[in-house]
Amino acid sequence: MWRSLGKSLLPIKEVLKHSGMSTDDLYAVELIGGATRVPKLQAKLQEFLGRKQLDKHLDADEAIVLGASLHAANLSDGIKLNRKLGMVDGSTYGFVLELKGEGLLKDENTRQLIVPRMKKLPSKMFRSVVSQQDFEVSLAYESEDLLPPGVTSLMFADYDILGLADASEKYSSRNLSSPIKANLHFSLSKSGIFYLDRAEAVVEITEWVEVHERISMWTTTQHLLLPTRRMLKLRIFQRRALTKAKKRTFRVPLKVIEKTTGAGMPLSKESYAESKRKLEVLDKKDAERRRTAELKNNLEGYIYSTKDKLESEEFEKISSEQERKSFMEKLNEVEEWLYTDGEDASASEFQKHLDSLKSIGDPIFFRHTELTARPAAFEHARTYLTEIDQIVQGWEKNKSWLPRERIDEVIREADKLKTWLSDKEALQQKTTAFSKPAITSEEVYDKILDLQDKVGSVNRIPKPKPKVEKTVKVEAEKDSDKDKANNTDSSSEETPSADDPATNEPEAEAASKGHDEL
């Protein structure tokens, strides 16, 4: 405990060290975090800072949670903020760089501090390495005194830089203005993760190129056409070829192969199998622990709720005083065991005691439930039997195609249900409330469902389709003969005769016209 309190001063000492400040430069010290409520910790801080009182203007828990949430929102790409919050974070750890390979300078083989602790996040940086051969890059933590939890090795990343030898061989015959070098680009992410981003070979070549320049010269001449014969000054341009040295820079991407090392190395098959076995054992223990806690809570809850119910007036109607008394004694006995020997009991023991209590309490609770459920079931059955009469009347009135024997079957089943209900109700009235019910609500509902199934089967009988008279060939021939006979009769009736007055109407009209003319 005392060692932990001594270590609690390390963060504030680190802050003062990196900021170059002393305790006298501090204006206020605000305590946040649940652990700051410890009186001994506050006394340690007051003693170190030389203050009589520390500042406590913020809620210790809420400030931590809110700050962590806002910082996470700043880091997240999935949360959209109207504006980024002004937070500047620094690297928790320092990182060093180490190069391995042939052809490297002596000072480049040593460890180099590339990221000092508390460097601003995020950041990008690069290092130039003069070499003509491929080499290795290792990244490690700066100090063993400050490592992430669970990490035992300083080195955490290793890279192979390939392609530098090929680039050197390709451009070595050219006029190199400087040795070939490799630029290593590193990134320190906003989450504090340091890694090698990319590598490239930089080749600078000096080439002599021919450059054409235009040169101007002035000359004088006499203009003969002018009357004054003045002298004119003329500008003449000439071109000449010059040779100049020109530098060209080539950037060749290098291949980077990452080799996981340190705490991030993959496990071997044996280690993986052993770790998997340990996880399975832990999972079983966690499951058993959760099951034990759940059964213990169930047993405790059952005891308290049952005690309250047994003391109510409703349970006095369905249980005798002796029954309630013996049950209460059993509940007290199990409760006493629960808080003494049952503190470290297993899940099976809790289940055993719960089952023993339920074997006594379930019949009582069932009688209590049936006290209201059974009358409701009887009322529902009577209501449905009344509806059966209306259903039968509707069948007889609107569905005359239904088979009569099916309707009579429904009527018989309804009469049986009426008789059964009357008998059971009379039997239940003779049964005491402390005894097992003569009939249950579930039995009543089962009978109703059976009758509903029979009614539904009658309702599902489809209406028969109307009968269609089949046309026989003989009938068709008779119809055709009748049509022919009718046609011949009508034709004979339509043929005009000489004695027919209708046929002589035109002649009569002509005669009348002739008489008029005369």
Side-chain angles (χ1 to χ4, degrees):
M1 179 66 181
W2 295 105
R3 290 181 180 179
S4 300
L5 290 173
K7 290 182 178 180
S8 62
L9 298 177
L10 291 178
I12 193 168
K13 290 180 179 179
E14 290 279 345
V15 171
L16 294 174
K17 177 182 177 182
H18 286 283
S19 61
M21 300 172 65
S22 65
T23 56
D24 298 332
D25 298 327
L26 301 179
Y27 173 75
V29 178
E30 185 73 30
L31 296 182
I32 58 174
T36 58
R37 295 191 179 97
V38 179
K40 191 63 180 177
L41 176 61
Q42 296 179 9
K44 278 278 186 182
L45 290 172
Q46 290 174 355
E47 180 184 355
F48 176 75
L49 297 172
R51 292 172 178 265
K52 294 182 179 180
Q53 190 174 0
L54 300 172
D55 298 287
K56 302 175 184 177
H57 301 98
L58 301 176
D59 185 281
D61 295 325
E62 183 181 350
I64 289 290
V65 174
L66 180 60
S69 301
L70 294 176
H71 186 52
N74 260 4
L75 296 177
S76 174
D77 297 329
I79 300 176
K80 185 177 181 181
L81 299 175
N82 294 333
R83 61 183 180 86
K84 289 289 184 181
L85 301 175
M87 293 184 182
V88 179
D89 199 2
S91 176
T92 310
Y93 310 99
F95 300 104
V96 296
L97 167 69
E98 185 175 356
L99 304 178
K100 300 176 184 179
E102 298 179 359
L104 295 173
L105 300 178
K106 291 184 179 180
D107 57 345
E108 291 180 342
N109 288 324
T110 59
R111 292 163 61 92
Q112 308 173 23
L113 179 64
I114 186 171
V115 177
R117 189 166 181 264
M118 300 306 296
K119 184 176 178 61
K120 181 182 176 181
L121 301 178
S123 298
K124 289 185 178 295
M125 59 218 74
F126 80 95
R127 289 289 185 273
S128 294
V129 180
V130 178
S131 177
Q132 294 183 353
Q133 300 295 328
D134 298 339
F135 57 93
E136 295 181 12
V137 177
S138 299
L139 302 179
Y141 293 101
E142 179 184 7
S143 172
E144 293 182 353
D145 299 332
L146 193 63
L147 290 175
V151 176
T152 57
S153 174
L154 289 175
M155 186 179 297
F156 63 87
D158 198 5
Y159 303 91
D160 284 339
I161 309 301
L162 306 179
L164 189 60
D166 296 338
S168 300
E169 183 180 355
K170 179 179 179 181
Y171 294 98
S172 59
S173 59
R174 309 285 289 272
N175 187 18
L176 297 176
S177 58
S178 61
I180 297 177
K181 60 184 179 180
N183 282 351
L184 305 177
H185 297 265
F186 299 93
S187 294
L188 182 62
S189 71
K190 54 187 178 181
S191 299
I193 300 174
F194 185 59
Y195 58 95
L196 175 61
D197 194 7
R198 70 182 191 277
E200 60 183 8
V202 180
V203 183
E204 295 181 354
I205 299 176
T206 302
E207 295 180 342
W208 294 94
V209 295
E210 184 176 332
V211 181
H212 294 277
E213 294 184 351
R214 189 173 66 169
I215 303 174
S216 62
M217 297 184 298
W218 293 94
T219 183
T220 57
T221 182
Q222 184 178 7
H223 203 292
L224 301 177
L225 298 179
L226 296 176
T228 58
R229 295 188 178 183
R230 287 188 305 177
M231 298 300 291
L232 297 178
K233 193 173 183 179
L234 301 178
R235 188 176 184 180
I236 301 174
F237 294 92
Q238 291 183 352
R239 296 180 65 86
R240 66 176 180 179
L242 300 176
T243 303
K244 288 186 176 182
K246 185 178 181 181
K247 290 185 177 181
R248 296 180 63 186
T249 302
F250 299 92
R251 298 183 181 274
V252 182
L254 299 178
K255 187 176 182 180
V256 178
I257 299 178
E258 182 178 1
K259 297 182 294 184
T260 307
T261 184
M265 290 185 63
L267 297 175
S268 61
K269 292 183 178 180
E270 294 78 11
S271 300
Y272 179 78
E274 180 64 19
S275 300
K276 187 176 180 181
R277 187 190 64 79
K278 290 180 179 179
L279 288 176
E280 290 175 352
V281 172
L282 294 175
D283 288 341
K284 289 181 180 180
K285 288 183 178 180
D286 288 341
E288 184 66 19
R289 179 182 54 81
R290 289 192 298 268
R291 182 169 176 267
T292 302
E294 182 181 358
L295 289 174
K296 183 178 181 180
N297 292 335
N298 293 343
L299 178 59
E300 186 177 20
Y302 184 84
I303 292 173
Y304 284 122
S305 62
T306 304
K307 281 185 173 183
D308 293 339
K309 292 176 181 178
L310 288 179
E311 295 175 355
S312 63
E313 295 180 359
E314 294 182 354
F315 275 77
E316 293 180 358
K317 300 177 183 179
I318 45 87
S319 60
S320 63
E321 184 178 356
Q322 180 62 30
E323 187 178 17
R324 293 193 301 274
K325 182 179 178 181
S326 63
F327 191 22
M328 187 68 74
E329 292 176 355
K330 182 66 174 177
L331 290 171
N332 292 331
E333 179 186 345
V334 176
E335 183 180 10
E336 184 180 357
W337 171 86
L338 181 63
Y339 295 119
T340 54
D341 298 337
E343 287 291 339
D344 300 325
S346 62
S348 59
E349 291 180 277
F350 290 123
Q351 185 66 53
K352 180 181 177 181
H353 283 85
L354 183 59
D355 292 340
S356 65
L357 292 179
K358 284 187 174 182
S359 63
I360 303 173
D362 286 352
I364 301 176
F365 292 139
F366 179 72
R367 294 200 300 269
H368 177 263
T369 304
E370 287 296 312
L371 197 63
T372 55
R374 185 171 52 249
F378 274 110
E379 184 63 27
H380 182 71
R382 293 190 187 94
T383 303
Y384 186 65
L385 288 174
T386 305
E387 295 176 358
I388 289 293
D389 297 335
Q390 299 177 1
I391 293 173
V392 171
Q393 291 177 8
W395 288 344
E396 294 174 346
K397 183 178 179 180
N398 302 321
K399 297 184 179 181
S400 57
W401 67 85
L402 294 176
R404 187 63 206 182
E405 60 274 9
R406 299 291 297 276
I407 298 176
D408 293 339
E409 183 182 357
V410 171
I411 296 174
R412 287 193 300 270
E413 292 296 330
D415 293 338
K416 289 181 181 179
L417 180 57
K418 290 179 183 179
T419 306
W420 183 83
L421 288 174
S422 300
D423 296 342
K424 291 296 183 180
E425 193 170 12
L427 183 60
Q428 180 59 40
Q429 291 177 356
K430 298 178 182 179
T431 306
T432 62
F434 305 157
S435 306
K436 182 180 179 181
I439 182 175
T440 64
S441 58
E442 185 178 359
E443 294 175 349
V444 176
Y445 285 119
D446 289 340
K447 291 290 184 181
I448 296 173
L449 290 176
D450 292 340
L451 182 57
Q452 286 179 344
D453 290 340
K454 292 185 180 299
V455 174
S457 64
V458 176
N459 278 327
R460 287 191 294 270
I461 296 176
K463 183 179 180 180
K465 295 181 180 180
K467 294 182 179 180
V468 180
E469 296 181 358
K470 296 181 179 180
T471 56
V472 189
K473 290 184 178 181
V474 177
E475 294 178 357
E477 291 176 358
K478 289 181 179 179
D479 293 338
S480 61
D481 294 340
K482 288 180 180 180
D483 293 339
K484 290 180 181 179
N486 292 332
N487 291 332
T488 53
D489 293 341
S490 60
S491 61
S492 61
E493 289 176 359
E494 291 175 359
T495 303
S497 60
D499 299 331
D500 190 1
T503 56
N504 295 329
E505 284 182 359
E507 296 180 3
E509 290 179 358
S512 62
K513 289 180 180 180
H515 288 298
D516 292 338
E517 291 177 356
L518 291 176

